[in-house]
Amino acid sequence: MKTYNYSDLTKQDIARLVQRNVDPANEIRTIVEEVISNVQQHGDRALYDYANRFDKVTLDKLYLNKHELEEIAATVLPEQKAALDIAYQNIYRFHESQLKAEDKVETMPGVTCWRELRPIEKVGLYIPGGSAVLPSTFLMLGIPAKIAGCHELIVCSPPQKNGKVNAFIAYVALMLGIDRIFLAGGAQAIAAMAYGTESITKVDKIFGPGNQFVTKAKTIIQSTTTTAIDMPAGPSEVLVIADDTANARFIAADLLAQAEHGIDSQAVLVCTSQEIAAAASEEVEKQLAVLPRAEIARQAIDNSYIVVTPSLGEAMSFSNQYAPEHLILATEKWQEITGSIINAGSVFLGNLTPESAGDYASGTNHTLPTSSYAKAYSGVSVDSFVKKITFQHITADGLQNIGPAVQTLAELEGLHAHANAVGVRYNPS
Amino acid sequence: MKTYNYSDLTKQDIARLVQRNVDPANEIRTIVEEVISNVQQHGDRALYDYANRFDKVTLDKLYLNKHELEEIAATVLPEQKAALDIAYQNIYRFHESQLKAEDKVETMPGVTCWRELRPIEKVGLYIPGGSAVLPSTFLMLGIPAKIAGCHELIVCSPPQKNGKVNAFIAYVALMLGIDRIFLAGGAQAIAAMAYGTESITKVDKIFGPGNQFVTKAKTIIQSTTTTAIDMPAGPSEVLVIADDTANARFIAADLLAQAEHGIDSQAVLVCTSQEIAAAASEEVEKQLAVLPRAEIARQAIDNSYIVVTPSLGEAMSFSNQYAPEHLILATEKWQEITGSIINAGSVFLGNLTPESAGDYASGTNHTLPTSSYAKAYSGVSVDSFVKKITFQHITADGLQNIGPAVQTLAELEGLHAHANAVGVRYNPS
């Protein structure tokens, strides 16, 4: 792997290294806008047409029902069911802990303020299909939606050529108590959930990863409709911080787990030990040779790099500038440095915590901010499926306590009717 | 005011009544894109030019320093300072309660997951100036940013014709410990904070209300840069739910407090009592006559309406479809109906809790989702200024417990390197 010496890098070099291509898909905007407008105008009809055109299948209805999902799911093996069950339970347990009632705060005598959670009523989950079948993503979105108590879950996934979805997707739907999957993929699925069609309910928020067409469609509907999205998305990435207590084999395995996602994935190693860096680079070549997805991983590795730093402090500084989706602390001293993490999506601590545990089954969510969005965004959680509504109650005494300040502030902003809304209440005759 | 009988309304009528114009400003996109591109290319130079062109002032530097802010703030009266102090304390107290450490969760023996808060490092606050001077907005954004611990606060506010900001804005800056305000307004200020200039740091997230140019600029930078925004914004609005225990004078005062904001504000009354509805409508006319901003309020009231419903149940159903920014429950029975609130930004309970208390000083935030965005968005809080990063740690035993499930799931998704990242760790030689 390409290796840089941190001490040789200028500020500009570092800025260039941590830079990702924010919007590689801008050239497809016109295509996606046409798809959205077509779905908006023609509804279900457009979805049937796109299934024909893009998914090469003629559908006789736009969804699979519970009975059909059960038939499809029948081929899932007991061992696979057991693994999905473990993932379900751990993800449920961790996400359940995020749902907390908040205390009331009496900010002044007689003035009480608090927040209450309410689920977002209608949410849309996009589950990719085709070459990348991701039942884990379905769990990561469906479980927090269930815990939040969202009233309506619309699930879209592209149909395979046989007009069905993959058996694992069907099985997860049944685990989640979802008895309908809409057979729509790509930008057309996003448009259908944002505008609604005869069959598909317009939702308040859309979640889920997808190819560049899906991502572009989400960005467009976010700025042109009232439907929200989970977060902007880019290619997946990992940054490993390592020192001389790390294991080069483990590091290489983690870098390759990232690299096999796609040719645009990035796997960065920031390491205080020249020896470990060299050994990890060598291990990458060795492990790469036997990978089924070696061709993809090779291109991603060519697009990745190693930085050797004088200390863990510089390593963390580089990482904070990169703001990685996944951050692995491959050091026995991880407890000394977690406090200095500023920007990251999800963090994996120590030499025995592989990212793939969090991708599937440890309990944390794998829908995370990429492309340096971790500077301002958090990953998906139960929070993503609820609103926090503020409430306040003021007593007669409270009004006497707070009223004069409100009137003064309203008058200084020139808003007399605001002051009056307090004034009329002093004398409730 | 226009009054509808709920029982006469069809589903389509209701859908039309709750509809707001989502993006009235789309025709200004080209102008705003030009401003953004100009700031991106010419930095500070463009900001000086726009100050000349739009704010009619020739600046000799782009910011006010602490000394200048102190001079400007000297004209604030003691009574006004006292009111700002009360607001500061209450807002601080309520927002402080939102900052909570979370528990660690052992999802399986040896597998521990948790979340830690980290402040967003660099945030930009846009504080409107000119005709609408809003020190309250500065408090509502600055206080949670301080509580969250954001490292760098960039504040932009348009210069007045004398090259300064209003005294209240200067005073609030000093209250917040902010010793620099950049003299930039409109789309150019948003562009400067999103891209950075020679003087202004590029920020990770931009907060604050503004005119249609500011709003459009925020929407554009959200979808074209990695800088996030607080939320999409539209005209302010209130919905009052009332029954025969309400006071028509109070209702009218609340409707007019909303109406005086701007001609595009909306004030809706949903009422179970024909008498109260009629009395409130009459009171609106009476109170309107003596308002300084009567001309603005009149136009907003013409754009508003009353719906008379058979019961509080239908009233709440209408309100949930409308998803108001502000919801006032003008009834002594408010405790019976808060549970059925699904969509709202901030809720004001009972007859003695005016919205203007929350606008200024009770403690809740007044930066709230408008235009039905309350279906998916929450108002600004300390949450808006932090990221919640997930952490996980797995022990050697934990790896034995979770490893096989991770390997099975990785293999069924066809991701062999993901499985391998677990496998290599079983035997750490």
Side-chain angles (χ1 to χ4, degrees):
Chain A
M1 288 175 73
K2 273 187 297 269
T3 303
Y4 303 95
N5 205 318
Y6 186 81
S7 312
D8 300 338
L9 298 174
T10 64
K11 258 185 143 175
Q12 286 71 32
D13 291 336
I14 292 173
R16 190 179 44 77
L17 281 174
V18 302
Q19 180 75 47
R20 274 85 104 205
N21 191 351
V22 175
D23 193 12
N26 207 35
E27 66 272 18
I28 64 169
R29 174 175 269 274
T30 317
I31 302 168
V32 172
E33 281 177 339
E34 197 195 307
V35 170
I36 292 174
S37 143
N38 198 5
V39 172
Q40 199 188 346
Q41 284 171 56
H42 303 294
D44 284 353
R45 190 65 261 150
L47 298 178
Y48 282 111
D49 287 350
Y50 285 122
N52 256 313
R53 221 164 107 193
F54 295 147
D55 306 307
K56 313 292 178 202
V57 57
T58 302
L59 299 174
D60 52 3
K61 65 183 191 337
L62 271 180
Y63 61 89
L64 298 168
N65 61 29
K66 190 175 178 189
H67 177 67
E68 290 161 324
L69 292 171
E70 282 167 348
E71 269 185 7
I72 295 167
T75 61
V76 179
L77 302 174
E79 172 200 335
Q80 294 169 330
K81 288 184 185 176
L84 287 165
D85 280 346
I86 288 173
Y88 186 100
Q89 284 161 30
N90 288 350
I91 298 165
Y92 198 97
R93 207 164 283 144
F94 180 57
H95 285 74
E96 201 180 19
S97 76
Q98 296 162 359
L99 197 64
K100 281 206 181 99
E102 301 193 8
D103 295 333
K104 295 188 177 184
V105 179
E106 195 169 19
T107 55
M108 276 186 120
V111 179
T112 309
C113 304
W114 69 96
R115 296 197 294 182
E116 291 185 18
L117 302 188
R118 292 292 188 278
I120 297 176
E121 259 196 308
K122 297 165 191 166
V123 299
L125 311 185
Y126 183 78
I127 311 299
S131 69
V133 173
L134 302 175
S136 57
T137 296
F138 200 176
L139 289 173
M140 294 292 177
L141 299 177
I143 292 172
K146 284 278 160 185
I147 292 170
C150 299
H151 303 206
E152 196 166 349
L153 261 73
I154 300 293
V155 179
C156 287
S157 196
Q160 299 179 323
K161 289 204 180 62
N162 61 4
K164 297 179 182 176
V165 295
N166 169 285
F168 304 116
I169 300 291
Y171 183 76
V172 170
L174 297 167
M175 288 177 93
L176 290 165
I178 290 167
D179 50 17
R180 179 167 293 195
I181 292 183
F182 290 98
L183 296 163
Q188 59 273 26
I190 304 302
M193 294 191 281
Y195 286 100
T197 70
E198 298 88 331
S199 304
I200 297 180
T201 307
K202 173 190 184 337
V203 302
D204 303 318
K205 189 168 183 179
I206 296 173
F207 295 79
N211 61 22
Q212 56 178 350
F213 294 93
V214 169
T215 298
K216 178 55 68 184
K218 283 171 67 186
T219 315
I220 293 172
I221 68 104
Q222 178 187 32
S223 65
T224 53
T225 75
T226 52
T227 298
I229 65 170
D230 48 359
M231 70 184 84
S236 192
E237 64 206 19
V238 71
L239 188 146
V240 181
I241 291 181
D243 65 7
D244 54 9
T245 66
N247 180 313
R249 271 174 66 224
F250 302 176
I251 294 173
D254 290 335
L255 296 175
L256 287 169
Q258 195 57 53
E260 75 173 339
H261 271 298
I263 57 168
D264 51 3
S265 293
Q266 197 169 51
V268 175
L269 170 60
V270 187
C271 187
T272 62
S273 156
Q274 197 89 53
E275 292 68 40
I276 294 281
S281 185
E282 207 172 296
E283 267 290 331
V284 163
E285 294 302 323
K286 221 161 96 185
Q287 293 181 24
L288 183 54
V290 298
L291 275 189
R293 291 166 72 96
E295 209 175 315
I296 291 168
R298 158 59 59 206
Q299 290 184 65
I301 288 293
D302 287 347
N303 177 38
S304 301
Y305 58 86
I306 298 172
V307 178
V308 178
T309 62
S311 77
L312 285 173
E314 283 93 354
M316 190 59 83
S317 161
F318 186 91
S319 174
N320 282 327
Q321 286 179 74
Y322 188 93
E325 179 190 13
H326 305 99
L327 171 61
I328 299 177
L329 302 188
T331 160
E332 286 169 9
K333 298 179 205 146
W334 58 267
Q335 278 165 311
E336 295 169 26
I337 57 173
T338 56
S340 56
I341 296 169
I342 301 172
N343 301 316
S346 194
V347 186
F348 301 82
L349 301 168
N351 291 316
L352 293 182
T353 310
E355 186 208 307
S356 47
D359 289 341
Y360 288 112
S362 62
T364 59
N365 210 289
H366 79 196
T367 310
L368 295 165
T370 57
S371 310
S372 87
Y373 284 111
K375 289 182 179 177
Y377 291 84
S378 309
V380 163
S381 69
V382 174
D383 301 350
S384 317
F385 292 88
V386 301
K387 293 113 33 181
K388 294 192 178 179
I389 301 179
T390 47
F391 286 77
Q392 64 199 281
H393 181 257
I394 301 178
T395 63
D397 282 350
L399 194 70
Q400 299 296 330
N401 291 332
I402 200 171
V406 173
Q407 288 175 299
T408 301
L409 294 169
E411 295 294 356
L412 74 77
E413 289 193 358
L415 296 175
H416 183 76
H418 279 65
N420 190 49
V422 172
V424 292
R425 283 173 164 92
Y426 285 147
N427 177 18
S429 63
Chain B
M1 288 175 72
K2 274 187 297 272
T3 302
Y4 303 96
N5 205 317
Y6 186 82
S7 312
D8 300 339
L9 298 173
T10 63
K11 258 183 140 174
Q12 286 70 33
D13 292 335
I14 293 173
R16 190 180 44 76
L17 282 175
V18 303
Q19 181 75 46
R20 273 86 102 205
N21 191 351
V22 175
D23 193 12
N26 207 36
E27 66 272 17
I28 64 168
R29 173 176 270 273
T30 316
I31 303 168
V32 172
E33 280 175 340
E34 197 194 307
V35 171
I36 293 174
S37 144
N38 198 6
V39 172
Q40 199 188 348
Q41 284 171 57
H42 303 293
D44 284 353
R45 190 65 261 149
L47 298 179
Y48 282 111
D49 288 350
Y50 284 123
N52 256 315
R53 220 164 110 192
F54 296 147
D55 306 308
K56 312 291 178 204
V57 57
T58 303
L59 299 175
D60 52 4
K61 66 182 191 336
L62 270 181
Y63 61 89
L64 298 169
N65 61 28
K66 191 175 177 188
H67 178 68
E68 290 162 324
L69 292 172
E70 282 167 347
E71 269 185 9
I72 295 168
T75 61
V76 179
L77 302 174
E79 171 201 337
Q80 294 169 329
K81 287 183 184 175
L84 287 165
D85 280 346
I86 288 174
Y88 186 99
Q89 284 160 31
N90 288 349
I91 297 165
Y92 198 97
R93 206 164 284 144
F94 180 57
H95 285 74
E96 201 180 20
S97 76
Q98 295 162 0
L99 197 64
K100 281 204 181 100
E102 302 194 8
D103 295 331
K104 295 188 177 184
V105 180
E106 194 169 20
T107 55
M108 275 186 122
V111 179
T112 308
C113 304
W114 68 95
R115 294 197 295 182
E116 290 185 18
L117 301 189
R118 291 292 187 279
I120 297 176
E121 260 197 307
K122 297 165 191 166
V123 300
L125 311 186
Y126 183 80
I127 311 299
S131 70
V133 175
L134 302 175
S136 57
T137 296
F138 200 175
L139 289 173
M140 294 292 177
L141 300 177
I143 292 172
K146 285 277 160 189
I147 292 170
C150 299
H151 302 206
E152 196 167 350
L153 261 73
I154 300 293
V155 179
C156 288
S157 196
Q160 298 178 325
K161 289 205 180 59
N162 61 4
K164 298 180 181 176
V165 297
N166 170 285
F168 303 117
I169 300 290
Y171 184 76
V172 170
L174 298 167
M175 289 178 90
L176 290 165
I178 290 168
D179 49 18
R180 179 167 292 196
I181 292 184
F182 289 98
L183 296 164
Q188 59 273 27
I190 305 302
M193 295 191 280
Y195 286 100
T197 70
E198 297 88 332
S199 304
I200 297 180
T201 307
K202 173 190 183 337
V203 302
D204 303 318
K205 190 168 181 179
I206 296 173
F207 295 79
N211 62 21
Q212 56 179 349
F213 294 93
V214 170
T215 298
K216 179 54 70 182
K218 283 172 66 185
T219 316
I220 292 172
I221 67 104
Q222 178 187 34
S223 65
T224 52
T225 75
T226 52
T227 299
I229 65 169
D230 48 357
M231 70 183 85
S236 192
E237 63 205 21
V238 70
L239 188 146
V240 181
I241 291 181
D243 64 7
D244 54 11
T245 66
N247 180 314
R249 270 173 66 225
F250 302 175
I251 294 172
D254 291 335
L255 296 176
L256 287 168
Q258 195 56 55
E260 76 174 338
H261 271 298
I263 58 167
D264 51 3
S265 293
Q266 197 169 50
V268 175
L269 169 61
V270 187
C271 188
T272 63
S273 156
Q274 197 87 52
E275 292 68 39
I276 294 281
S281 185
E282 208 172 293
E283 267 290 330
V284 163
E285 295 302 324
K286 222 160 96 184
Q287 294 180 23
L288 184 54
V290 298
L291 275 189
R293 291 166 71 95
E295 208 176 314
I296 290 169
R298 158 60 60 205
Q299 289 183 66
I301 288 293
D302 286 347
N303 177 38
S304 300
Y305 57 86
I306 298 172
V307 178
V308 178
T309 61
S311 78
L312 285 174
E314 283 93 354
M316 190 58 82
S317 161
F318 186 90
S319 174
N320 282 327
Q321 286 178 75
Y322 188 92
E325 179 190 14
H326 305 98
L327 171 61
I328 299 176
L329 301 189
T331 161
E332 287 170 9
K333 296 178 206 144
W334 58 267
Q335 278 166 312
E336 295 169 25
I337 57 172
T338 56
S340 57
I341 295 169
I342 301 173
N343 300 316
S346 195
V347 186
F348 301 81
L349 301 168
N351 291 315
L352 293 182
T353 311
E355 186 207 307
S356 47
D359 289 341
Y360 287 110
S362 61
T364 60
N365 209 289
H366 79 196
T367 311
L368 296 165
T370 57
S371 309
S372 87
Y373 284 109
K375 289 183 180 177
Y377 292 84
S378 309
V380 163
S381 69
V382 174
D383 301 349
S384 316
F385 291 88
V386 300
K387 294 113 33 181
K388 295 192 177 178
I389 301 179
T390 47
F391 286 77
Q392 63 200 281
H393 181 256
I394 302 179
T395 63
D397 281 350
L399 193 70
Q400 299 297 329
N401 291 332
I402 200 173
V406 173
Q407 289 176 298
T408 300
L409 293 168
E411 295 294 356
L412 73 76
E413 289 193 358
L415 296 174
H416 183 76
H418 279 65
N420 190 50
V422 172
V424 291
R425 284 173 162 94
Y426 286 147
N427 178 18
S429 62

